[in-house]
Structure formats: structure tokens, C-alpha cells
Amino acid sequence: MQPERLIIFDTTLRDGEQCPGASLNKKEKLEIARQLALLNVDVIEAGFPIASPGDFESVELIAKEVRGPIIAGLARALPKDIEAAARSLEKAENARIHIFLSTSKTHRDFKLQKDKGEVIKMAVDAIKFGRKFCDDIEFSPEDASRTEPEFLAEVVEAVIDAGATTVNIPDTVGYSVPDQFGKLIASLKTNVPNIDKAIISVHCHNDLGMAVANSLAAVKAGARQVECTINGIGERAGNAAMEEIVMALRTRRDFFGLESEIDTKHIMACSRLVSSLTGFFVQRNKAIVGKNAFAHESGVHQDGFLKKKDTYEIMNPCDVGLDASELVLGKHSGRNALSDRVTKLGYKLSQEELDQVFTDFKALADEKKEVFDEDIVLLIQKETTVDEALNTYHLVKVKMAFESGTTPTAAVTLTSRDGQQHSAEGTGDGPIDAIYNAIDNITGQPCRLLEYQVMSRTKGKDAQGEVTVRVQHENRVLLGKGIGVNTVEASAHAYINAVNKLLVNTKSGPVDGGDIQGP
Ligand code: KIV
Ligand code: ZN
């Protein structure tokens, strides 16, 4: 008998992007959506179209460009939100409007100030309105796990009658525990007469570290869609991590008896892409995608592992896209070898992009003895995710002087978009501070450095460093990234990247100044 299928609904670009500090531009979102399509997710929630013009355009772009998965847009239970979602999804091959409305007592009393009857009416009206644009309507009773179970059942029955095809049960504040959450799903299956007319979905937050466990308990109880994100990113402590859900199903098929359609060998590439573009590093011991997830340190483990792998390993690293054997790329490698590696890494580049990556690869190979897969991924990202519209300033030259007991000084030269060169000097508490002050003297937009991180992204003494900065200008906080073998230059690039974003003003507020409340 064929195992039943679990629908994977990815919300990295909506709930994931909504978390503090993660802000992606349109090109970056499209890049992630393409990787999600390679992973073969069933649904990509591409954004919350009414939230900002930028969000609307991203959903529109993904709906136009990405084929395969259903593309979903989020909407409150309001006609203007639903209309915006429908418009942004017009070009999608398959579209879904995801409507949400709070149902718990606290949310009803304090957030919505509506009684139970009003909430049901609002949900039903919204679904009927949504069905005018789209046959695929998902409804989420927000804060479902803290809603009175009888009322939740009433809402679910009413929205299915009104035309919802998927009913999502969110544990919005990560309050549930697996046994209780599984029972909630089981009770909906028993007590809602029309439950068979819709797919039951779950959406769990990780405030108590139980998002994956709660989701899997719900699956065991009959949920057939899980909402999740790559690396588990999301509002506050995040959402259920997709890679964990998928690999749990696969590794414990004996227990769950379910399959997903995910092409798991793209998991690592997708995880690295999301981590790099959001600036959220994956903890080393993170299940499935952490650096240590398939590494063995203790002598006893190594001994057992060498005798038989499954003494200490329950999954094959190749299944998630890790390559046990390494083919070394260096300065003698040609374009074909690079192109082959790029394809194996799951990227599809235009000829022009490949030419540029090849030029950068040759330059890097001259600096480094070995160019690893991670290096190639960084080169590709540099080429494919830089938004030209953001490139107001380019670094031409940086020079710094530092001697113990003296104040560090730096001299920086930048070109602006009109091709003019600008030079300035700066001093600071340290050499990087001096460089950043020199840049401020050129741009005239002084920023406060909130966070500065250097990560070695590749291997060896001559590894490429990735510098991530978070800077604040007035009430805006921006993320900047720079990559290079020379960390000082990479630091300057990261700061310039953040300042360029500031100058372009990419992220705007609600279109109509309305009261958007992050779900
Ligand atoms: O956490 C939540 O309740 C949500 C809903 C919009 C599904 O994100
Ligand atoms: Zn959520």
C-alpha cells in the first residue's frame, strides 16, 4: 500500500522573513523561492501582500517566475487584504489565499474586541469573498491552541462550509505540548462533521522548543499539512524546522507511515542560502543542517562508526545533500568543471552569470589553494543576489594604520553611482571603527554599529570570511554583508552594503497606514 502524503507548506518567506532582523530584498526572496521549488515543496507562502509595496511586489514576482509549488499570499480577514493577495497572485500557476483571524478569548477580547458570533461571521464573509478570486482558500484561526476547543470546532465547521479547502491550526505562541496538541487535532477530526472536506494543517511556533514535536504529534493524529520554515526561522523563537519534519518522516517511516515529496538532497543548499541571506547563522549542533550534525568526535563513536556506520548514524548525510567525497576545484580547473559543480549544487545560472562566477572563481583560485563548494556558493550568491538598485556606493580602496598606543586611522575611497570618486579619512576606537567613520564622512549618513560578526565560510587558513553587520540610522536597522579572503575589505563591503540599503529605502510600512499586526 502507498504511504499517505504529507503536504509541506513552506513559510520561510512570510513567517520566517517576519522575524526580527531578517529582511530580504526581492531578488533574494526570488532566489530562495527557486531553491524551495527545487526542494519540491508543495506550497510556498511568498509573503503578506498588503503589508508593504515591497511584500506585494515580491509575491507578484515569485508568482510570475516560480513554477511547480502552489504560491500562497497571506491576508487578514478583510476585503482589502484579500483583494491585494488575489492581485499579487494573478500570474501564479496555482494560487492560494491564506486568510487568518484570531479566535482565542484573549485575542477576541483585547485585539479584535469582537464576540464569538462576530468572529465567525467575519471569517465566513472573508472566505466567501476570497472564493470569488481563488478556489484554494486556507483559513487559520490564529491562536487556535488557546481557543476554547468547542468554539474552535464551531469556527472550523463554519469556515469549511463557507469554502475553506485547508484549515490550519496554529500554535501561534508556542504554548502547546505534543500530547495536548495531538489530542486537539484528534478532537477536531471527531467533532467537526464536515472535517473530511478540508485538509487539516498545523503551524507551530517554537517558544518552548516544541514546534517540531507538536507538529509531528498533530501529524500522527491526522494533520496532513505542516507549515514550516528552513532552519526553523520565524517570529520570536521561530517555526517548526522543515528539514527536521521531513527527515523525521523519512527516517521514521515505520512510525509515521507518511511521505513528503521533498527532494531531500537539496536541503543543505537551501539551508545555507537562507542562513547567508538572512544573516542568521545555523547553530553548529542544529539537527540535520548544523555543521556538527554528521560529525563524530569521540574516539568510541569513531571506532563504532568505522566498523559500521549505523552504530552512530541514523541518516545518510548524502540524503540531505552533503557530499562525503570532495572533488577539489583549483586554479587549473576549467569552465566545464565549474559549470558541472554549479549544477550539482542545485543552481541554474544564465550564461552571463556563469561567466561572471567563472571570472571570480579564477581570481579566488589564485588567492586560495583549494576552492570548496562553500566558496562556489558564496561566489554564486554574490553574483545572483546583489540588487544593482542598491549599489549606490562601491569600495575602491581602503587603507588603515594601527600601532599599539595610538589612535587607529583609516582612509577610504568610494565611487558613487555617477562614477565620481570620494575619499575621506576617519579615526576610531579600533581599525574597523576608523574605516566605518571614514565611510560615514563620505556618505554623510552616520550609522551606529549594533552588531559585527565574522564567520569563516570556507575551509583552510586562507578561508573566505563573511562579515555581517547590523547598523542603525535613526529608527531603521539594516543588515549588511561582505565576503572576501581579506576580512578588513569584507568589513568595509558589509558596512557599505548596509548604507546602500539605507539610501535606497527598500522596506516601507503598511500601504494604507493601516493597523497591520504581525500574525
Ligand atoms: O502564528 C500564526 O498564527 C500565524 C498565522 C498567520 C498562521 O503565523
Ligand atoms: Zn506564525
Side-chain angles (χ1 to χ4, degrees):
M1 203 177 75
Q2 273 291 92
E4 261 193 88
R5 205 161 86 71
L6 182 72
I7 299 168
I8 300 294
F9 177 115
D10 180 274
T11 182
T12 306
L13 296 174
R14 199 278 297 167
D15 213 321
E17 207 251 353
Q18 182 177 303
C19 67
S23 167
L24 300 164
N25 66 35
K26 260 195 297 182
K27 240 184 149 186
E28 290 167 334
K29 286 188 184 173
L30 180 61
E31 185 73 16
I32 292 176
R34 289 206 161 113
Q35 276 285 341
L36 292 172
L38 265 183
L39 259 184
N40 208 24
V41 303
D42 299 283
V43 187
I44 296 175
E45 187 163 50
F48 188 5
I50 195 86
S52 74
D55 247 36
F56 182 94
E57 287 163 21
S58 302
V59 178
E60 197 177 38
L61 183 67
I62 291 167
K64 183 165 152 252
E65 297 287 333
V66 178
R67 291 292 171 255
I70 295 170
I71 310 297
L74 186 69
R76 291 168 298 181
L78 298 173
K80 63 176 179 176
D81 283 40
I82 295 167
E83 254 162 8
R87 262 192 296 116
S88 69
L89 293 167
E90 264 162 14
K91 300 247 162 61
E93 189 178 31
N94 294 298
R96 172 178 298 183
I97 301 177
H98 177 189
I99 301 169
F100 72 99
L101 179 66
S102 291
T103 51
S104 66
K105 180 159 168 48
T106 334
H107 283 220
R108 287 194 315 265
D109 290 352
F110 297 100
K111 189 176 126 180
L112 300 177
Q113 287 161 357
K114 290 195 189 301
D115 65 23
K116 287 181 176 171
E118 288 170 313
V119 167
I120 293 203
K121 181 170 177 339
M122 201 171 159
V124 165
D125 288 349
I127 285 153
K128 288 188 175 157
F129 187 67
R131 283 296 297 245
K132 292 187 184 158
F133 302 97
C134 181
D135 287 340
D136 188 345
I137 301 285
E138 173 167 332
F139 179 77
S140 289
E142 195 187 2
D143 205 15
S145 55
R146 291 194 301 168
T147 301
E148 304 88 318
E150 307 72 35
F151 180 56
L152 182 64
E154 227 182 290
V155 173
V156 169
E157 184 179 352
V159 295
I160 295 174
D161 265 349
T165 43
T166 299
V167 179
N168 180 44
I169 306 300
D171 183 24
T172 302
V173 289
Y175 179 75
S176 227
V177 293
D179 186 46
Q180 185 187 32
F181 199 58
K183 284 188 176 135
L184 177 65
I185 301 302
S187 82
L188 289 173
K189 284 197 68 140
T190 316
N191 298 325
V192 176
N194 56 1
I195 197 74
D196 291 340
K197 298 205 170 69
I199 301 280
I200 305 178
S201 167
V202 288
H203 173 115
C204 297
H205 278 271
N206 207 28
D207 300 66
L208 293 172
M210 288 188 277
V212 170
N214 283 334
S215 305
L216 291 173
V219 166
K220 199 65 186 158
R224 287 297 173 264
Q225 173 177 288
V226 167
E227 301 198 354
C228 44
T229 59
I230 298 293
N231 300 338
I233 64 169
E235 188 77 38
R236 304 182 310 281
N239 290 65
M242 184 215 284
E243 60 278 4
E244 296 179 24
I245 301 278
V246 167
M247 291 312 288
L249 279 196
R250 184 180 165 128
T251 310
R252 297 304 313 272
R253 198 174 289 150
D254 61 316
F255 180 75
F256 291 105
L258 280 174
E259 271 181 357
S260 78
E261 296 279 298
I262 297 296
D263 189 350
T264 59
K265 65 180 184 303
H266 293 297
I267 284 179
M268 278 313 297
C270 205
S271 160
R272 286 181 184 142
L273 179 70
V274 169
S275 161
S276 163
L277 296 183
T278 55
F280 290 168
F281 299 122
V282 173
Q283 80 201 50
R284 285 189 87 98
N285 61 326
K286 161 90 178 61
I288 318 296
V289 291
K291 248 192 160 82
N292 290 356
F294 293 94
H296 304 270
E297 168 79 33
S298 101
V300 175
H301 286 209
Q302 285 176 348
D303 179 56
F305 181 78
L306 287 171
K307 288 176 177 145
K308 191 158 169 56
K309 281 190 182 157
D310 51 5
T311 48
Y312 286 103
E313 214 162 69
I314 57 166
M315 291 169 276
N316 183 343
C318 299
D319 289 347
V320 299
L322 285 169
D323 204 354
S325 56
E326 233 167 40
L327 187 69
V328 177
L329 282 177
K331 66 177 172 186
H332 299 297
S333 308
R335 192 182 296 262
N336 280 349
L338 177 72
S339 163
D340 179 62
R341 184 62 61 90
V342 166
T343 313
K344 284 206 175 99
L345 288 169
Y347 290 89
K348 230 163 121 188
L349 300 186
S350 67
Q351 193 53 45
E352 204 185 316
E353 286 169 336
L354 185 66
D355 287 348
Q356 190 52 53
V357 172
F358 185 65
T359 309
D360 292 351
F361 159 71
K362 281 288 185 185
L364 183 66
D366 271 336
E367 281 182 78
K368 291 192 83 205
K369 281 195 210 85
E370 279 186 13
V371 179
F372 299 100
D373 284 357
E374 294 92 321
D375 291 306
I376 306 286
V377 169
L378 288 184
L379 294 181
I380 296 170
Q381 285 172 10
K382 236 203 257 177
E383 181 51 30
T384 56
T385 59
V386 172
D387 192 337
E388 271 313 309
L390 291 179
N391 282 345
T392 307
Y393 286 107
H394 275 287
L395 179 68
V396 178
K397 190 162 77 181
V398 54
K399 194 169 143 199
M400 64 176 201
F402 169 65
E403 200 181 316
S404 303
T406 63
T407 305
T409 59
V412 173
T413 304
L414 307 181
T415 45
S416 51
R417 207 190 299 222
D418 56 9
Q420 281 203 31
Q421 288 211 348
H422 311 262
S423 298
E425 293 187 348
T427 56
D429 295 338
I432 300 295
D433 192 36
I435 292 171
Y436 289 0
N437 287 334
I439 295 171
D440 285 350
N441 290 339
I442 295 175
T443 63
Q445 303 284 346
C447 294
R448 194 159 74 87
L449 187 64
L450 301 178
E451 243 182 70
Y452 172 88
Q453 288 187 75
V454 188
M455 245 313 252
S456 159
R457 291 298 309 270
T458 59
K459 299 176 204 163
K461 271 201 213 141
D462 48 4
Q464 290 204 79
E466 184 180 78
V467 177
T468 304
V469 294
R470 241 176 253 285
V471 302
Q472 182 169 16
H473 178 79
E474 292 169 359
N475 58 356
R476 295 192 61 200
V477 174
L478 300 118
L479 179 77
K481 288 156 79 56
I483 296 166
V485 175
N486 182 325
T487 354
V488 172
E489 266 180 15
S491 302
H493 281 301
Y495 192 75
I496 294 165
N497 180 235
V499 174
N500 281 342
K501 286 182 185 171
L502 172 71
L503 296 174
V504 170
N505 194 16
T506 45
K507 193 115 186 173
S508 23
V511 249
D512 56 359
D515 58 334
I516 296 288
Q517 315 238 318

